[in-house]
Amino acid sequence: MKKIGSQVTIAIDGPAGSGKSTVARRIAEKLGLLYLDSGAMYRAVTVLAIRGKLAADSPELFEQVKACHIEFQDNGKTILLNAEDVSRQIRTPAVNRRVADVAKIPEIRHEIVKHQQRIGGEGSIIAEGRDLTTIVFPNADFKFYLDASVTERAKRRLAELQRQNVEITLAAVEAEITDRDEKDKTRAHSPLRAADDAIILDTTDKTINEVVDLIVATVCNAEIGSK
Ligand code: DC
């Protein structure tokens, strides 16, 4: 087990609305790790598809994905797509609707995974998103799979959208999440699933802080145990 301070990789996986982004961001701040929001990268390339009116599996989109530059700033809070801040655009309902279709294209995944692994090789990180524990960082020092009921996840997503002044009903968010879960779990390439050696945490009845504390305790106890 590696120590925090030497290079460490924590990978967090789980379905939409399981709280993984918020949890990962807070842990990054607490432990001083770089935060890698992998879903934001798939969302950014979905912006390219929408702007170019391109089909997810079109060669034009693939060429744009290969050529584009994606960068995180402000420890994951800001995402730059070809030097343009698209942090807000990647959270719009239009992107929510299209992103699962874009993220299931193997060629696009291949390019994004390469980029993620490069970032992971640069220092200690906490990385979050589908397939992070299984495909991107199969040798991560710590792997967690967060889950929660569909209704609870829809409520969380709704609160997040309301904060951004997006008008949408709980029923619509729940339908969107159910649809995305289905697409993410059944897609042929890198389907959403927990790695065999991941610690599974059901967060339905837990606050964000409780989940953060649980993960930090697990990581720090393992570090103490390794000394
Ligand atoms: O975590 P999120 O809701 O921001 O993810 C957006 C979409 O991207 C979602 O449909 C799952 C997909 N995704 C993926 O396929 N692989 C990842 N590593 C991260 C996200």
Side-chain angles (χ1 to χ4, degrees):
M1 192 68 66
K2 288 181 185 172
K3 296 179 187 129
I4 303 292
S6 64
Q7 190 168 330
V8 71
T9 304
I10 304 174
I12 302 189
D13 216 324
S18 58
K20 54 190 192 303
S21 323
T22 317
V23 164
R25 188 169 278 131
R26 286 200 197 168
I27 294 171
E29 277 164 14
K30 274 198 166 191
L31 299 181
L33 307 171
L34 178 80
Y35 167 54
L36 190 154
D37 175 356
S38 69
M41 297 170 76
Y42 290 98
R43 288 171 176 273
V45 300
T46 302
V47 169
L48 289 176
I50 292 171
R51 285 182 179 169
K53 297 188 171 40
L54 300 171
D57 60 353
S58 65
E60 292 90 342
L61 180 60
F62 178 55
E63 286 309 315
Q64 286 195 23
V65 172
K66 269 207 301 196
C68 79
H69 183 73
I70 300 176
E71 192 188 330
F72 288 102
Q73 285 184 351
D74 200 12
N75 211 15
K77 290 192 192 83
T78 303
I79 180 164
L80 302 179
L81 172 65
N82 296 327
E84 177 194 347
D85 184 350
V86 291
S87 316
R88 285 180 70 83
Q89 281 161 58
I90 62 167
R91 304 290 166 198
T92 56
V95 170
N96 288 345
R97 278 193 297 274
R98 287 287 306 278
V99 64
D101 287 331
V102 172
K104 75 178 180 203
I105 305 299
E107 290 83 0
I108 290 182
R109 299 199 69 78
H110 186 70
E111 288 305 310
I112 301 257
V113 167
K114 275 200 297 194
H115 194 66
Q116 291 163 347
Q117 290 172 336
R118 180 186 56 74
I119 296 172
E122 289 171 356
S124 290
I125 57 159
I126 180 159
E128 158 281 294
R130 320 301 158 78
D131 82 350
L132 264 283
T133 59
T134 49
I135 306 283
V136 186
F137 299 118
N139 299 319
D141 303 291
F142 299 94
K143 300 181 187 181
F144 297 93
Y145 186 90
L146 305 190
D147 210 346
S149 71
V150 172
T151 307
E152 176 60 26
R153 290 188 285 129
K155 283 185 191 160
R156 292 175 187 172
R157 190 64 100 195
L158 181 68
E160 188 184 318
L161 290 170
Q162 283 171 341
R163 277 196 293 277
Q164 296 160 14
N165 297 320
V166 176
E167 281 189 34
I168 189 161
T169 63
L170 179 63
V173 180
E174 202 166 324
E176 211 172 74
I177 284 186
T178 305
D179 180 54
R180 280 175 52 195
D181 277 358
E182 189 55 27
K183 282 183 180 160
D184 290 340
K185 282 180 181 162
T186 57
R187 71 185 179 200
H189 199 84
S190 306
L192 171 66
R193 68 171 183 87
D196 293 338
D197 53 352
I199 298 173
I200 298 177
L201 294 177
D202 184 345
T203 71
T204 306
D205 299 316
K206 289 189 172 57
T207 64
I208 293 290
N209 282 339
E210 284 170 340
V211 180
V212 168
D213 289 347
L214 252 171
I215 294 179
V216 169
T218 306
V219 170
C220 292
N221 287 341
E223 188 197 6
I224 290 163
S226 75
K227 283 182 180 162

